[in-house]
Amino acid sequence: MRILVIEDNQRLAQLVADGLQRRGFSCDIALSLRDADNSMATASYDAIVLDLGLPDGNGIDWLGARRRQREIPPAIIQTARGALEDRITGLDAGADDYVVKPVSVDELAARIRALLRRPGARAQTVLEAATLRFDTATRILQCGGKQVDLSRREADLLELLMRRAGAVVHREAIEQALYNFNEPVTPNAVEAIVSRLRSKLDDAGAPRNLHTVRGIGYMLRDNGA
Ligand code: CA
């Protein structure tokens, strides 16, 4: 079990990491959100322990943005005693649990073990946007609980848009993601896939949130607007 401890207080970070290591976890430390991004780009973690006040930003904002964009392992936030508001916004931003500072490593380890026992915790593969739920492992899309059948390219496109929900995805990026180097891409190929995907989403009663950004690309909004 590999854990990333994101904490700018080096002494505290080391204390937590050593404590978790003694309890059988392997740990890396990130002293900033930027460090955390770098670590997560090169290693895969089973859980993260997240401090909220970091030198380059707020842990809650970071977590919320990462949750919307891509898979992120279960996260436990560390908050100051009594900061109820932090706990609520943290949980709303996608934290799975929290511990109160000063952190008891025994409690933290127990909470991590509990998180990792949850079904699906190890391979978090479900993306969600509005009423859509897409399982990136099984390639099954559900819309309001109903299954929607997609072709391979429709599913690839949807995954790409869901991973970057709320941001414009350039047409070239879509072409690169959907086609190999040596596959010819006809000028309207992406439009055609988008329009088939749109009509399937429409048929399934999904909110109309797949937008064309003229001359640039496409964007899936999180909400139904
Ligand atoms: Ca801090």
Side-chain angles (χ1 to χ4, degrees):
M1 295 289 160
R2 191 163 178 182
I3 313 294
L4 181 63
V5 177
I6 309 172
E7 164 67 64
D8 62 324
N9 178 327
Q10 196 149 5
R11 203 183 52 82
L12 178 58
Q14 201 59 58
L15 198 81
V16 168
D18 288 348
L20 289 176
Q21 257 150 7
R22 275 199 302 278
R23 288 162 181 80
F25 298 94
S26 102
C27 278
D28 293 329
I29 292 173
L31 296 172
S32 65
L33 296 173
R34 200 196 157 115
D35 271 4
D37 284 331
N38 290 339
S39 299
M40 288 174 63
T42 52
S44 100
Y45 294 96
D46 296 290
I48 58 181
V49 176
L50 178 65
D51 178 34
L52 298 182
L54 289 147
D56 51 353
N58 181 295
I60 289 177
D61 297 341
W62 177 86
L63 181 66
R66 292 300 167 285
R67 274 271 185 268
R68 284 193 294 277
Q69 281 168 13
R70 60 185 160 91
E71 298 166 14
I72 190 166
I76 298 184
I77 53 175
Q78 307 187 83
T79 75
R81 185 177 296 281
L84 179 62
E85 200 128 302
D86 278 353
R87 289 179 228 168
I88 294 168
T89 41
L91 293 170
D92 282 347
D96 298 273
D97 203 351
Y98 62 86
V99 288
V100 173
K101 285 183 175 183
V103 174
S104 142
V105 179
D106 274 327
E107 182 189 355
L108 180 59
R111 287 182 182 273
I112 292 173
R113 284 193 298 270
L115 274 188
L116 298 178
R117 277 197 301 270
R118 285 190 195 169
R122 282 214 60 147
Q124 230 192 18
T125 56
V126 176
L127 302 173
E128 292 185 73
T131 56
L132 304 177
R133 270 176 70 86
F134 181 67
D135 187 319
T136 59
T138 61
R139 318 299 292 164
I140 290 175
L141 170 68
Q142 294 207 316
C143 174
K146 272 185 303 186
Q147 189 169 325
V148 182
D149 291 320
L150 299 179
S151 72
R152 181 176 65 82
R153 286 208 170 106
E154 289 158 9
D156 289 349
L157 171 66
L158 182 71
E159 178 176 353
L160 185 63
L161 293 170
M162 287 183 83
R163 283 187 190 283
R164 291 161 63 181
V168 179
V169 184
H170 286 245
R171 181 200 315 266
E172 296 76 41
I174 296 174
E175 284 180 0
Q176 281 165 23
L178 266 50
Y179 295 90
N180 299 329
F181 290 123
N182 44 16
E183 269 179 311
V185 188
T186 59
N188 297 320
V190 170
E191 280 83 346
I193 298 167
V194 168
S195 105
R196 284 200 304 271
L197 178 60
R198 244 190 212 132
S199 71
K200 286 186 182 179
L201 295 178
D202 265 359
D203 290 348
R208 299 198 159 183
N209 51 4
L210 203 176
H211 297 276
T212 301
V213 184
R214 276 178 81 98
I216 303 177
Y218 301 91
M219 172 168 70
L220 188 74
R221 285 195 193 279
D222 257 343
N223 53 24

